[in-house]
Amino acid sequence: MQKRVKVKPNSKQQKIEEQTDGSLLVHLKSPPVDGKANAELIKLLAQKFDVPKSYIRIKSGLSSRQKLIEIDN
């Protein structure tokens, strides 16, 4: 399964919002430095979809706010 994700780093709280187009808006506490925000994103998505973190990959947008995520089931 692939999901489009828009990331908002440095937010006050962590949360995932489902958008009307099926994409996700993810608020992260971590700053976008040294991959911290990406690591937090993978952890949050693993909890949401109830899969191990190793099942989630960032296909594109590693250093962008717009990302394409692939989730194995």
Side-chain angles (χ1 to χ4, degrees):
M1 165 174 52
Q2 290 189 345
K3 280 274 191 197
R4 291 225 166 264
V5 176
K6 183 171 183 188
V7 177
K8 292 205 167 194
N10 292 323
S11 295
K12 290 193 190 312
Q13 61 184 9
Q14 290 179 334
K15 66 180 174 182
I16 299 176
E17 298 174 3
E18 190 106 23
Q19 302 296 300
T20 54
D21 63 358
S23 66
L24 299 174
L25 177 61
V26 182
H27 298 264
L28 302 172
K29 287 184 176 180
S30 300
V33 179
D34 298 332
K36 289 180 184 176
N38 286 337
E40 183 183 353
L41 172 67
I42 289 172
K43 182 180 166 192
L44 270 179
L45 291 175
Q47 290 171 355
K48 177 177 174 50
F49 292 106
D50 198 28
V51 296
K53 290 189 284 188
S54 60
Y55 282 29
I56 298 177
R57 283 189 309 281
I58 299 174
K59 296 262 300 180
S60 66
L62 205 57
S63 60
S64 167
R65 288 177 188 242
Q66 301 282 345
K67 300 181 185 301
L68 182 63
I69 306 292
E70 186 171 76
I71 302 166
D72 296 333
N73 334 19

